[in-house]
Amino acid sequence: MDGQIEADQCCSDTASVTISDFSDEILLNVLTYVPSHDLVTNVSRVCRKLRTLCLDKSLTAHIHLHKEYTATDEAVKHLLRELSSNIQTLNVSGCYWLAGSTLDQVTRCKSMVQLDLSGCRVTPARLSRLLSSLQCLRSLALDVGPGFDLQQLSAEGKAALARLHELKQTLLTPSYGVVPCCSALRSLRLYLEASEGWQEAGGCAQLMVGQSSVPHYQNLRWFSARLAPGEVNRTLLALYLAVFSMRVPEGLTGLVLFVPGLAPPRPVAVTALTESMASSSGSKVRALQLPRTWLDGTVLGRVLAHGCPAYLNLSRCSAPGFNPLHVLLAAGRDLSPLRGLNLRGCGRGSLPESCSKGEEEMDAESVKALTDSCPHLTHLNLSATHYHHNSPAGQDGHLCGALGRLAHLRSLALPVCALAQRPPAAAHVTDSSTHLSSESLLLGLKKNRRIGVPTYQPEVVGGQGGEREEAATSCVRSMLKGCLHLVELELIGASFLSAMPRNEPAIRKDPAACPWACQVGDSQLAALGNLRFLRKLTLAHLPGVLKGTGLLQLVQGCKDLQVLSLANLGSLKTVNYTQALMEALKHCTQLRELRLEQPYFNGNAAFFEALSSCRCLHRLCLVSRHGTFLPTAVVNFMQSCAEVIMCHMFMGGTLVACKTLQKTLLDSWTLSPHLVPS
């Protein structure tokens, strides 16, 4: 029969269960986790049934090759030839290794509606050929680099751009890109990444002169811009926003602007855009994010008067006389539509005595009221603030208990001190069991007891030790009880500053940790092992983590962890959790990305041997001031983990050792040009 499985190819003769015993629905669900190019080149050749299922429209209509580093030119060409008539959306973003001839095969996909070419080099001539063939295209994403000339596009290409509804454009040079031809846009997403070192004669001046050629977007519903640091990108954003000062689109529902560092003065166009969002009828505001100096209580209140957006980013917007959380709660609107809320650094402005100047304490009562008003929150960021629970012992009212009521929460960011159960013990308080009176004969002879955070002992489950552990983790467990489906979690010290920040200047001085955060240690990390669905975890500036035994318990529970970022755990002078970290890495079988930032870290042979257990690892980043590494261990690790495509190490090695290691790795990957470690 045509549907009969060829048993000699699909399974062994001794198997009691074969593929034919599973329904098509189950097999299709399993095949969704297989890369598209693998389905066509390998899986479809196993047997007749799989060959039929691999051509199912649910698998062939949407092709996603982003971060699929095993997708070679030959495999992608074969994929496009076989499935060209079925493909409706194609995402090859980040596939920088694909040749131009491979991208030319996209012209076969006549039914394509959405195309993402971000990260791929596309010339105006090639873009013209693609647009001329894809008459159904309505969504496009591309990069615009130096030398891109819109005038080189063909008439057919410009006509296709005029039919686009969505455009995502990454600008690597001061340019309008293809925007002047896209007059029917409903969504415009800009990524401004022009380098300060790029000098194009009169680049911004030419844009200013040609500003009148940019159309008025009367159909625009979404406008977003994410800037890289640099004055040239801020100038470029101002030129794009200047267009809206001529005519504001009616019905704008999304305005998202991310400007790192100091933002320029608020343009007039922003005020006009927010007024348009507030006055539009028949449409709800979906998202709002403005630089902190552009947002005040008046602007936020005007938008909230029309209705609560689904996404609000109010990061660092707290200022004297303006608390965004208070404005949100006092607006008198139904907050149930809110799904994503970023309150990073938004406190009430008071300074706890134990904290550094300039840091803020979270308004816990307002946050608790927020959890009651927004039961459907899925993303919440409360980092870069302090939370100090000062209620009497045993009294219910901890912030974690309020967060536990958010059953739909999928991502959460908290300051480390928010997991502390009680105030830290005073430094002058001594332990009565070990107190030596001044008249004791042993005074001066007996060694003083070391004062520090006790090591978590997972084997202690009963008795007094078990009771202390249960008390220390009670608030964490109350949060996990209602947020068991968290996928992403960040616990970051309120004063944490990375040695290598992405959008801010590097700072060499390590700030002091919050005294409350010193109480959060291995027992709390072990409790987080109950998050069975956790995929991404960030732990930064946890001084209470010493031996790291809780980290081992955590990864044993979170078996599907894919992204792990650790920074400044325990003492910054001595790394005491290396052994536990190596044991934990052996359990991270699904780990894709690892970032470790720790001063004085020793990347020895034992560490890289343990890291070799992470066979699925794609990206590795080690940041360590005064750190050391063993070059031969790095080479052996890269040879054993063939999936690694990025290896960044910012450590204390000599320039000669780094250059030698880089050359050795590059020579090892000469036959695989798309795998280039750096």
Side-chain angles (χ1 to χ4, degrees), residues 336-358:
S336 59
L338 196 60
R339 296 295 183 270
L341 179 61
N342 188 340
L343 292 173
R344 180 175 181 268
C346 295
R348 67 186 182 195
S350 62
L351 297 173
E353 295 180 359
S354 58
C355 300
S356 303
K357 184 178 180 180

Side-chain angles (χ1 to χ4, degrees), residues 96-126:
Y96 53 87
W97 60 87
L98 293 180
S101 58
T102 302
L103 298 179
D104 288 337
Q105 298 295 321
V106 178
T107 56
R108 296 172 173 265
C109 309
K110 305 297 183 181
S111 302
M112 186 175 297
V113 178
Q114 183 175 348
L115 176 62
D116 192 337
L117 298 172
S118 302
C120 301
R121 187 175 183 276
V122 181
T123 62
R126 178 164 286 114

